[in-house]
Amino acid sequence: MNIQIRPILTALRRHKAGTLLIALQIALTLAIVCNALFIIHQRLTNLSVTSGVDEANVFVIANMWGDVGQSTAQVDAQVRADLLALRQLPAALDATPASGYPLRGGGWDNFVTMTPDQTKPTTDAAVYTGDEHFIGTLGLRLVAGRNFHPDEVMVMGTQQAITPSTAIVSKALADRLFPDGNALGKSFYAMGTTPSTIVGIVDPLHRQGVDQWSNGYAGQALIWPLRADDSRGIYYIVRAKPGQLADAMREAPKALYAQSRLRIIDPKDGIQDYATIRHKVYDRDRGLAILMGIISVVLLAITAAGIVGLTSFWVGQRRKQIGVRRALGARQRDILAYFLTENFLISATGVVLGAVLAIAFNLWTVTRFEMDRMSMAYVGAGVLVLLLLGQGATFAPALRASRVSPVEATRSV
Amino acid sequence: MLKMTHLSKVYRTEVVETYALRDFNIDVKEGEFVAVTGPSGSGKTTFLTIAGLLETFSGGEYHLDGIEVSNLNDNARSKIRNEKIGFIFQAFNLIPDLNVFDNIEVPLRYRGMKAAERKQRIMDSLERVGLASRAKHYPAELSGGQQQRVAIARALAGSPRLLLADEPTGNLDTQMARGVLELLEDIHREGATIVMVTHDPELAARAQRNVHIIDGQVVDLSEDPRFHAAHAAVADEAHG
Amino acid sequence: MLAYYFQLGLRSLRRNPALTALMVMAIGFGVAASMITYSVFRAVSGNPIPGKSAQLFTPQIDSWGPQQNLKGEPAEALGYIDAMALMRAHEAKRQTLLYPVQLSVMPGGNRDLPLNANGYAVTADFFTMFEVPFRYGSGWGAQDDDTRASDVVISSELNQKLFAGANSVGRALNLGGHDYRVVGVASHWNPRPRFYDLFTTSGFADEPDIYMVFNRALDLQMRTGGRNSCRGSLAYTTWQGYLQSNCVWITPWVELDSPAEVASYRSFLTHYAADQRLAGRFDWAANVRLRDVMQWLDYEHVVPPESRISLAVALGFFLICLVNTIGLLLAKFMRRAGEIGVRRALGATRGEIYTQYLVEAATVGLAGGVLGLLLTATGVSGVGILFQPEIAKLAQLDFSLVGLTFVVAIVATVLAAFYPAWRAAHVQPAWQLKSS
Ligand SMILES: Nc1ncnc2c1ncn2[C@@H]1O[C@H](COP(=O)(O)OP(=O)(O)O)[C@@H](O)[C@H]1O
Ligand SMILES: [Mg+2]
């Protein structure tokens, strides 16, 4: 099989516009598809980050108080009673009060410093509050130190900023504050005048938010032994016995209303299991990934169809020419090779231009939306996909061309 | 009707310049039936395309119906083609997507004629060529001779004063060719000027006047030594 | 003549159904992707208060200093001290302070459970500044701010729930254990984005149920139901301690009608900050901002990056679909060079050929528009899987979107056809004769 490039180039010069359009289409498709793949991969990575929570069995109740004028002592009494009731549910394993929970979609965050008068913070941590049941209820893995003692747990009223003297931190935070790995027993300041000493380390523990800005603080969280008895409301996190999540979610509000009816648990989203919580918090990521996926697939299909269409037309236009070549001794595979080579030359031009466009588009999103730089692997993969797509799309019309009978040469028009 | 003086036509490509016509002189009077003959590549078609304002020329003058056409813009030329000239091509050149009726309608549409008048003219010209019953047929459903008659009907529908035909019988057998020629003669009798390129000496002989083109120039047959040879050959053929 | 071209166009499109389908699909998908993402983008990037967006300003004062502020920018809200100082100075024609409050309507009548009621603590000018429409009654007056009245304005929706939609002005209401009096019922009012509270919301929250007197909320020591942002060490244990802390949680707005008023208010802010330095409260140079509504939306990045990226990618997608269409139209038109030559020989002018092919393209565009509209309608209703629910429900297929879909499909296709049609119109009329 002898493939001659020069005659192909000469022929292409007579179809300048068509050639240019296919190359342009391939270039733009490459630019969009590379970036779309990159975005999809990035967002799917976000989706699969572990929270540290025993997500299969845990659910959260957002409980608001009907009477917002209660004193802290009144609220605390009610919270204790509620927790007792929740822990006694046949389907429940454990329960904890909380002011927020992992993947909530934002919440309490404190700067962390090593000294009380340090103005530039060392880092930032998500703040969780709970009692000695917090770790057990969420199913967090304690990798060092100990859990809170019941008598360590303090009460924090609505108007109070209280800094407990002990804290359990996530391994990510411990490592950030004490890179030498001996965080246990050390202390830090989290916007308080007094320090908190690290008594335990859990791993992993996701933050409350999944926002772009917090990526630099991924997995950094601290837990304070506090019952946040806010007069407006509180979260109860409940862990069901394995396989009894649905039962527990049904029993829990009944038990709470039996304690007191002066509370609001939104019938729509007052009680959420972790599947729902995770689904909601990653709405944006999943949505964008789906949209990019749809666009990529349709785009590749349209580009392929466009190549098939144009190549078919060229073949149709050159039937007589092909017939003459065949009459002069060209074999079927010579004709096939001719068209495949032709497409390869066009596609190659397209992907070179496309690679430049893809990188330019990525840089634009980097500066405009603070997105990450795309790795060259995406461009490489995209180039490969489009070259294969081009060859695949050309194959059918080229095959048809190769089957043109030499008789065509003798027919007029 | 049609007068060219010292007209020339040069085709320039990247490599060569071809003089398709040079110092070309011809004068066709109103109502004449002229047959144009000449060897292949001598410039017959080029002459016809220039005469029909399908192409521009490189030098000289061309008066069509008393108008010097070299200064006309594309739109004016289109209008003249549409109203004064009818074309008949060797390859018929019917539009395959359109049926017979719609094909004949094309020049009338561009003239902006009312639907009723269009219909009248189309049916009249189809009547002329004896294909009134085939108005709804598509070109592919007709024989070569019928297709050429449709093409003639299309050329006639606009009542052109000048009919240009490029080897109208080239793709037809003798029987059909004769029919087409008779049609042209009829049209000529009704007053149209006809210029017909042909290879067929028999057909050429039936025209009022013969013009012979060699190497892009009109030659006087009586002075050209090649004429005698060609003429002898024609005579042989006619007898054989 | 256009009808003739349209007829010819249809005929030609029918001749290559696969090719026609391909072009129609390319246009349809391209236009639909663009329209779906645009409908979302339009909703999130619109001007929420077109008549007044240039007169409403939110003042910012840097109370955190260069070490702790937002990379040089002042905090996005005010603390109690600065908020009250602005209010007392009364330097603008109208001004308001606001923060979100989370309340509950206590059981009563045939309701035995409390009802959630979220809203804002605001001052009297809130209603006039933001042109809140009323179904019944009105907002309260400035004197009610001063007397710290227990007045509330409720939404029509809450009015429906509590009073079955009747005129409830003057009726009493128990919120979280305290009695209030309804002075007004607002008609549906939920500007999107919610420019006036971008400190807490991302701009697309549900309509508030209730508006109460700012001073009354302070008296009841109501903590903000929204965001609270602090710096340094915190050790407050009382309401007074909280108010005196550096925490920011109040959004101020002022109405300024002329550039002169804006300039004078800006200089007031600067002087205020400078005075705070003199008084020893700040130890940094005055650092203030005065942004109007659109500047504020922009600064707060109200348009989610996902929306911009989607729109950009969708437009890129549409562009590719158009390039695809140009290629296919070119092939299609040039394949009919023979027919074009004949038409030219029979007297068609270039313009007529040009028009014929543009009309053919417009026909493709029209079909693409119809497909695009169907896809857009499906997409807009299914956009919930692509964007967060609160944003997704903003995307609506209204009359203008339908019109835009068609116009964009047709105009884009005709634009795409310019070059192929130009090539078609320049086919030499002599081509036919020479080629045989
Ligand atoms: N478009 C063109 N470009 C270049 N040369 C041409 C073109 N058309 C015709 N010619 C040349 O002009 C000469 C006359 O051609 P033509 O008029 O077609 O001859 P005929 O019709 O007598 O066979 C030939 O040498 C041909 O090669
Ligand atoms: Mg010829």
Side-chain angles (χ1 to χ4, degrees):
Chain A
M1 191 160 22
N2 60 330
I3 299 166
Q4 291 159 306
I5 307 276
R6 197 199 293 272
I8 296 180
L9 289 179
T10 320
L12 284 181
R13 220 172 294 146
R14 301 199 52 197
H15 293 279
K16 271 196 213 83
T19 308
L20 217 71
L21 287 169
I22 293 192
L24 189 63
Q25 190 174 350
I26 287 178
L28 290 169
T29 306
L30 178 67
I32 298 282
V33 168
C34 281
N35 280 279
L37 282 180
F38 174 59
I39 293 173
I40 291 172
H41 185 226
Q42 224 183 10
R43 303 286 166 146
L44 289 184
T45 312
N46 286 353
L47 252 64
S48 57
V49 168
T50 54
S51 62
V53 178
D54 174 20
E55 295 189 16
N57 299 306
V58 174
F59 64 97
V60 178
I61 305 169
N63 176 88
M64 283 175 286
W65 302 120
D67 178 0
V68 295
Q70 296 182 96
S71 70
T72 302
Q74 284 171 315
V75 175
D76 194 55
Q78 185 65 64
V79 167
R80 283 164 175 274
D82 286 352
L83 285 168
L84 213 60
L86 288 173
R87 285 170 190 151
Q88 279 167 359
L89 289 177
L93 207 56
D94 207 349
T96 181
S99 55
Y101 49 90
L103 304 184
R104 179 178 165 236
W108 189 358
D109 245 274
N110 271 8
F111 289 125
V112 179
T113 55
M114 307 310 289
T115 59
D117 39 37
Q118 178 186 335
T119 41
K120 269 262 173 273
T122 308
T123 188
D124 181 283
V127 178
Y128 294 109
T129 64
D131 60 14
E132 71 278 11
H133 295 267
F134 188 86
I135 293 181
T137 303
L138 269 70
L140 301 178
R141 199 162 59 94
L142 188 67
V143 295
R146 62 167 177 85
N147 191 3
F148 296 127
H149 301 309
D151 57 6
E152 260 177 318
V153 180
M154 302 167 77
V155 165
M156 182 169 76
T158 315
Q159 318 298 356
Q160 296 178 318
I162 288 179
T163 307
S165 59
T166 56
I168 294 174
V169 302
S170 69
K171 186 161 185 304
L173 180 61
D175 291 346
R176 170 67 75 95
L177 297 177
F178 304 99
D180 297 340
N182 48 0
L184 213 58
K186 298 272 172 50
S187 43
F188 61 88
Y189 292 81
M191 302 182 77
T193 46
T194 54
S196 297
T197 304
I198 299 173
V199 297
I201 298 175
V202 291
D203 187 43
L205 175 54
H206 202 285
R207 297 167 60 90
Q208 304 196 49
V210 295
D211 291 316
Q212 186 89 22
W213 70 265
S214 68
N215 283 354
Y217 312 116
Q220 296 184 180
L222 67 88
I223 310 162
W224 267 335
L226 285 174
R227 255 195 317 278
D229 294 325
D230 194 296
S231 61
R232 291 163 299 176
I234 191 166
Y235 291 109
Y236 292 127
I237 304 176
V238 183
R239 187 177 187 186
K241 289 182 178 143
Q244 302 189 31
L245 181 71
D247 293 336
M249 286 176 74
R250 211 169 28 246
E251 291 167 5
K254 286 185 201 149
L256 291 177
Y257 279 122
Q259 288 294 314
S260 154
R261 298 189 66 76
L262 271 188
R263 68 175 86 233
I264 304 165
I265 299 171
D266 192 323
K268 200 167 79 236
D269 53 11
I271 305 183
Q272 297 181 331
D273 59 16
Y274 250 90
T276 313
I277 291 168
R278 180 172 273 279
H279 193 272
K280 267 193 192 163
V281 80
Y282 287 120
D283 254 343
R284 291 173 173 220
D285 290 315
R286 193 180 40 255
L288 199 61
I290 292 175
L291 183 65
M292 294 299 134
I294 295 175
I295 285 191
S296 300
V297 170
V298 177
L299 195 50
L300 289 175
I302 282 184
T303 299
I307 295 175
V308 172
L310 273 185
T311 314
S312 300
F313 264 105
W314 284 353
V315 169
Q317 227 172 21
R318 288 186 256 177
R319 281 187 84 81
K320 180 154 182 182
Q321 208 193 99
I322 296 165
V324 173
R325 276 174 196 275
R326 296 275 286 126
L328 297 178
R331 291 161 303 177
Q332 289 203 357
R333 57 179 179 179
D334 291 329
I335 304 291
L336 194 63
Y338 177 93
F339 281 100
L340 289 177
T341 313
E342 181 182 78
N343 169 271
F344 183 79
L345 290 177
I346 300 174
S347 303
T349 319
V351 295
V352 169
L353 180 65
V356 176
L357 285 178
I359 295 166
F361 186 84
N362 173 246
L363 289 181
W364 178 70
T365 60
V366 169
T367 51
R368 194 72 182 72
F369 306 117
E370 291 158 20
M371 298 214 345
D372 294 334
R373 291 282 285 272
M374 173 170 61
S375 116
M376 281 298 135
Y378 291 95
V379 182
V383 165
L384 204 67
V385 166
L386 276 159
L387 288 180
L388 287 176
L389 186 85
Q391 295 288 293
T394 313
F395 197 76
L399 203 64
R400 227 174 311 126
S402 74
R403 299 218 173 108
V404 166
S405 145
V407 179
E408 297 266 351
T410 60
R411 287 199 196 124
S412 66
V413 191
Chain B
M1 182 79 213
L2 181 163
K3 187 165 194 288
M4 294 178 176
T5 41
H6 307 302
L7 189 134
S8 64
K9 173 72 184 175
V10 192
Y11 286 112
R12 290 196 176 82
T13 60
E14 279 158 34
V15 270
V16 287
E17 282 192 358
T18 315
Y19 270 86
L21 299 176
R22 69 175 91 206
D23 194 20
F24 190 90
N25 298 295
I26 193 168
D27 189 357
V28 178
K29 294 278 181 287
E30 176 100 46
E32 257 192 308
F33 186 164
V34 179
V36 178
T37 54
S40 183
S42 57
K44 304 183 295 296
T45 298
T46 304
F47 157 61
L48 222 53
T49 57
I50 291 175
L53 303 188
L54 294 174
E55 266 187 310
T56 54
F57 47 91
S58 320
E61 282 180 21
Y62 172 26
H63 291 267
L64 177 65
D65 207 13
I67 308 164
E68 162 60 306
V69 299
S70 54
N71 303 323
L72 297 178
N73 67 16
D74 193 80
N75 279 355
R77 294 158 68 88
S78 296
K79 193 166 152 62
I80 294 178
R81 280 202 297 275
N82 185 255
E83 291 173 358
K84 293 191 178 167
I85 303 172
F87 282 100
I88 301 164
F89 308 96
Q90 176 177 3
F92 322 142
N93 285 332
L94 297 177
I95 297 174
D97 290 354
L98 304 181
N99 64 23
V100 166
F101 186 96
D102 293 341
N103 256 289
I104 300 175
E105 194 184 30
V106 170
L108 307 182
R109 281 278 190 173
Y110 291 120
R111 206 181 280 194
M113 216 174 254
K114 290 263 171 5
E117 191 185 351
R118 284 203 307 263
K119 182 158 187 207
Q120 186 59 49
R121 281 181 176 244
I122 294 165
M123 292 324 289
D124 284 353
S125 53
L126 270 178
E127 206 80 55
R128 281 291 306 269
V129 301
L131 286 173
S133 59
R134 303 296 170 106
K136 293 280 172 258
H137 285 61
Y138 279 84
E141 300 161 0
L142 301 174
S143 74
Q146 287 170 325
Q147 285 190 45
Q148 193 59 301
R149 297 225 298 273
V150 173
I152 294 171
R154 183 170 69 182
L156 287 182
S159 324
R161 308 233 324 271
L162 175 61
L163 206 58
L164 300 174
D166 192 6
E167 305 190 25
T169 58
N171 283 353
L172 303 178
D173 63 34
T174 336
Q175 186 67 31
M176 286 177 172
R178 225 163 258 150
V180 165
L181 193 78
E182 273 158 21
L183 202 51
L184 290 181
E185 281 171 341
D186 273 357
I187 296 162
H188 172 237
R189 266 195 292 281
E190 283 159 26
T193 312
I194 298 180
V195 177
M196 174 179 75
V197 168
T198 182
H199 266 119
D200 187 338
E202 190 194 343
L203 297 187
R206 288 168 69 166
Q208 283 176 326
R209 175 152 78 100
N210 275 11
V211 171
H212 197 70
I213 302 181
I214 293 177
D215 284 347
Q217 275 187 309
V218 178
V219 293
D220 192 333
L221 290 180
S222 54
E223 282 174 18
D224 193 320
R226 282 173 294 188
F227 166 74
H228 299 287
H231 205 77
V234 167
D236 280 352
E237 235 173 79
H239 292 118
Chain C
M1 208 61 189
L2 278 183
Y4 179 55
Y5 296 143
F6 184 68
Q7 208 181 312
L8 289 176
L10 282 183
R11 203 189 293 258
S12 142
L13 295 175
R14 266 205 304 271
R15 246 181 70 81
N16 307 94
L19 197 69
T20 305
L22 181 54
M23 289 192 291
V24 168
M25 266 161 60
I27 299 291
F29 276 109
V31 84
S34 306
M35 284 303 132
I36 294 167
T37 49
Y38 172 70
S39 71
V40 174
F41 182 78
R42 180 182 65 168
V44 296
S45 65
N47 184 339
I49 180 159
K52 284 186 89 170
S53 60
Q55 277 103 274
L56 298 172
F57 295 80
T58 183
Q60 289 170 267
I61 298 165
D62 186 3
S63 56
W64 288 343
Q67 292 289 333
Q68 296 179 319
N69 65 18
L70 311 169
K71 294 183 182 141
E73 286 286 330
E76 300 149 294
L78 296 181
Y80 173 79
I81 300 172
D82 293 323
M84 294 318 278
L86 291 196
M87 203 60 190
R88 265 192 307 272
H90 213 285
E91 286 286 325
K93 191 178 85 182
R94 287 171 177 159
Q95 54 221 307
T96 189
L97 300 177
L98 60 92
Y99 72 93
V101 292
Q102 194 183 307
L103 287 162
S104 63
V105 187
M106 295 300 263
N110 50 11
R111 258 181 324 104
D112 73 326
L113 284 177
L115 204 68
N116 196 12
N118 293 323
Y120 287 91
V122 303
T123 67
D125 285 349
F126 178 91
F127 304 99
T128 42
M129 281 173 78
F130 299 151
E131 299 178 335
V132 179
F134 280 89
R135 170 158 309 157
Y136 304 118
S138 65
W140 54 84
Q143 70 286 354
D144 300 311
D145 281 341
D146 298 337
T147 61
R148 316 174 98 79
S150 293
D151 290 349
V152 289
V153 166
I154 62 175
S155 70
S156 293
E157 202 183 320
L158 188 62
N159 190 52
Q160 186 67 40
K161 276 188 209 156
L162 300 180
F163 303 107
N167 184 346
S168 58
V169 172
R171 300 277 292 267
L173 196 58
N174 191 310
L175 295 170
H178 298 280
D179 284 324
Y180 295 83
R181 193 176 62 101
V182 177
V183 296
V185 177
S187 307
H188 170 73
W189 183 70
N190 193 22
R192 288 158 190 276
R194 185 176 295 169
F195 64 95
Y196 62 84
D197 180 22
L198 294 177
F199 180 62
T200 288
T201 74
S202 62
F204 305 98
D206 287 337
E207 187 176 347
D209 303 306
I210 208 150
Y211 306 90
M212 68 179 293
V213 177
F214 188 87
N215 284 337
R216 178 73 187 139
L218 292 183
D219 288 352
L220 293 174
Q221 306 196 346
M222 265 184 209
R223 273 291 288 269
T224 172
R227 214 173 122 203
N228 177 52
S229 188
C230 317
R231 287 295 183 275
S233 304
L234 308 172
Y236 54 82
T237 51
T238 62
W239 174 247
Q240 271 311 314
Y242 173 61
L243 294 185
Q244 299 305 317
S245 75
N246 67 15
C247 298
V248 301
W249 47 287
I250 300 169
T251 304
W253 283 92
V254 295
E255 183 173 334
L256 304 166
D257 287 340
S258 67
E261 282 181 42
V262 176
S264 115
Y265 198 87
R266 192 167 272 134
S267 100
F268 155 69
L269 279 180
T270 312
H271 280 115
Y272 169 78
D275 288 347
Q276 296 301 306
R277 187 181 189 180
L278 287 179
R281 212 178 126 230
F282 298 169
D283 67 347
W284 47 85
N287 183 18
V288 300
R289 300 286 183 280
L290 190 59
R291 293 185 162 100
D292 71 13
V293 171
M294 294 318 277
Q295 289 165 336
W296 185 234
L297 294 180
D298 189 47
Y299 177 70
E300 289 287 301
H301 299 299
V302 159
V303 178
E306 284 81 6
S307 179
R308 284 184 202 274
I309 294 174
S310 310
L311 182 62
V313 170
L315 288 177
F317 173 63
F318 191 25
L319 181 69
I320 296 173
C321 292
L322 285 180
V323 171
N324 187 59
T325 308
I326 297 177
L328 295 177
L329 284 176
L330 186 65
K332 196 171 161 65
F333 291 174
M334 292 324 285
R335 204 169 186 197
R336 282 191 286 163
E339 178 191 328
I340 298 165
V342 174
R343 285 185 180 276
R344 292 280 281 138
L346 295 177
T349 61
R350 280 205 186 113
E352 280 162 333
I353 298 291
Y354 207 84
T355 321
Q356 178 190 334
Y357 285 91
L358 286 184
V359 169
E360 180 170 334
T363 314
V364 173
L366 190 71
V370 172
L371 177 66
L373 193 64
L374 291 177
L375 291 172
T376 306
T378 324
V380 165
S381 60
V383 82
I385 58 162
L386 302 181
F387 294 92
Q388 308 103 284
E390 64 269 26
I391 286 185
K393 69 183 170 204
L394 299 181
Q396 270 156 8
L397 188 67
D398 54 13
F399 186 74
S400 70
L401 194 66
V402 171
L404 195 66
T405 306
F406 273 113
V407 170
V408 167
I410 294 173
V411 169
T413 317
V414 169
L415 281 180
F418 267 137
Y419 176 69
W422 182 83
R423 286 278 303 270
H426 281 78
V427 165
Q428 284 303 316
W431 190 87
Q432 265 314 304
L433 293 165
K434 289 293 167 75
S435 75
S436 59

